[in-house]
Amino acid sequence: MKSTIAALKAIADGTRLRVVKLLLQYNYCVGALARRLDVTEAAISQHLKVLREAGLLVGEKRGHFMHYDVDRNALRALGAELEKLAAIERQVCKPEEEDCEQQRRGRCRAHEAGGKCPEEVRFACHGPNADEKENGRNGHCECQEPQKGIR
Amino acid sequence: MKSTIAALKAIADGTRLRVVKLLLQYNYCVGALARRLDVTEAAISQHLKVLREAGLLVGEKRGHFMHYDVDRNALRALGAELEKLAAIERQVCKPEEEDCEQQRRGRCRAHEAGGKCPEEVRFACHGPNADEKENGRNGHCECQEPQKGIR
DNA sequence: TCTGTAATTAAGTAATCACTTAATCAAGGG
DNA sequence: CCCTTGATTAAGTGATTACTTAATTACAGA
């Protein structure tokens, strides 16, 4: 997860994205990359280091020259991770499963449509001292799904 | 493509990634998010702005409260884009299809295993003045696929 | 071993960024 | 209309970053 962020940071840069796209097509050496992208060799070298340390590139020395290759699996995995993220399911309230004291609160409509209120949700939506302020507006928010037809 | 970079930059941050993960599960209001992630509301608000402007979040006002939702399609599309990137095919040399003057060069082994040398590759690998320096090492690199068995 | 070149690293700089606090805007409730 | 509270914005700060030039390391040919 920390490596995911590093990899995302690595490709979230215009120049480095161009580097990756080019290296996917051509097995350029560093100097060729620099010429092709019109960037100094030092700059390219530093970008390559970032991409390499993020696990997106692997280098190979051939004679005088250093050639980098994109780790396509790593790149694919990164994409898959984002798609997997997009598939994270919503946690909805199921008050019948848990004793949810938020049901008592006037402005908390999180449960009227039927939903649970796990401890972490209760805490996050109403704060650590939610119990102390009965029926007030303080600390409340309609923190769950949009309530169709209500309000 | 520019929006891709903006979206990548947006999620390539630890706090914002946590925001996205949380909003995928719970429809928290801004204050709830801040409490849950133990970040000031101002900071969260700024992160939400970044994510919103990157097209990853959509906001909805409900009474007093502002609730943000992850645009799952945008997130999925971003992941798909990375996977598509990983599928970019390598350009290999096909000298029989093009008149490739690099074949004459001693140190350029790009073609010995059979490969084309399109103008852009030629330029990138050997520089704009490649023709002027016949048979020299200058400006050359073995810029294509690793040559098995050669050298 | 000496020389020329590819690549990396060092050092410095301007810009960007994540965060802070304080001020401001917005939306009810009394 | 005022007051409270949620949310955003403004302004400032320290850290990070992308780039530059210069120095250094690594490699191979003569």
Side-chain angles (χ1 to χ4, degrees), chain B residues 13 15-16 40 42-43 46-47 61 63-64 137-139:
Chain B
D13 173 85
T15 303
R16 284 196 292 268
T40 62
Q46 286 160 12
H47 283 307
K61 194 151 208 168
H64 267 289
R137 195 184 62 200
N138 300 1

Side-chain angles (χ1 to χ4, degrees), chain A:
Chain A
M1 183 248 166
K2 193 180 164 199
S3 68
T4 299
I5 294 177
L8 285 173
K9 273 190 202 296
I11 43 166
D13 174 85
T15 303
R16 284 196 293 269
L17 189 54
R18 285 200 300 153
V19 167
V20 168
K21 281 184 180 173
L22 211 50
L23 284 180
L24 282 164
Q25 298 177 81
Y26 306 106
N27 193 237
Y28 289 156
C29 63
V30 177
L33 260 179
R35 277 194 298 277
R36 189 73 169 75
L37 298 175
D38 200 32
V39 184
T40 63
E41 237 175 277
I44 284 291
S45 197
Q46 286 159 12
H47 283 307
L48 291 172
K49 188 181 184 182
V50 172
L51 289 165
R52 190 202 321 133
E53 289 179 345
L56 292 172
L57 250 47
V58 287
E60 181 200 352
K61 195 151 205 165
R62 281 184 241 158
H64 267 289
F65 305 93
M66 193 70 194
H67 292 249
Y68 283 95
D69 241 320
V70 177
D71 183 338
R72 288 165 190 265
N73 285 334
L75 192 55
R76 234 189 316 269
L78 193 60
E81 208 158 338
L82 291 187
E83 293 189 6
K84 192 177 162 192
L85 208 67
I88 287 180
E89 61 193 29
R90 161 134 298 168
Q91 305 286 92
V92 275
C93 282
K94 286 176 196 147
E96 70 279 8
E97 291 181 6
E98 305 200 26
D99 175 47
C100 177
E101 22 190 341
Q102 295 316 311
Q103 283 181 287
R104 281 178 274 143
R105 303 184 183 287
R107 293 189 80 266
C108 181
R109 315 201 179 265
H111 322 289
E112 296 178 6
K116 96 181 154 154
C117 194
E119 183 59 27
E120 64 170 356
V121 172
R122 202 183 63 75
F123 172 79
C125 278
H126 308 286
N129 303 321
D131 298 347
E132 300 169 7
K133 318 173 210 158
E134 284 289 342
N135 284 326
R137 195 183 62 199
N138 300 1
H140 287 232
C141 75
E142 294 149 18
C143 58
Q144 294 295 312
E145 290 287 344
Q147 305 302 315
K148 317 108 199 141
I150 296 182
R151 164 88 48 101

Side-chain angles (χ1 to χ4, degrees), chain B residues 6-54:
Chain B
L8 286 173
K9 274 189 200 295
I11 43 166
D13 173 85
T15 303
R16 284 196 292 268
L17 190 54
R18 287 200 299 153
V19 166
V20 167
K21 281 184 179 172
L22 211 50
L23 284 180
L24 282 164
Q25 298 178 79
Y26 306 106
N27 193 236
Y28 289 155
C29 62
V30 177
L33 261 178
R35 277 194 298 275
R36 189 73 170 73
L37 299 175
D38 199 31
V39 184
T40 62
E41 238 175 276
I44 285 291
S45 199
Q46 286 160 12
H47 283 307
L48 290 172
K49 188 181 183 182
V50 173
L51 289 165
R52 191 202 319 135
E53 289 178 346

Side-chain angles (χ1 to χ4, degrees), chain B residues 122-141:
Chain B
R122 201 182 64 76
F123 171 80
C125 277
H126 307 286
N129 304 321
D131 296 347
E132 299 169 9
K133 319 173 208 156
E134 284 289 342
N135 284 326
R137 195 184 62 200
N138 300 1
H140 287 233
C141 75

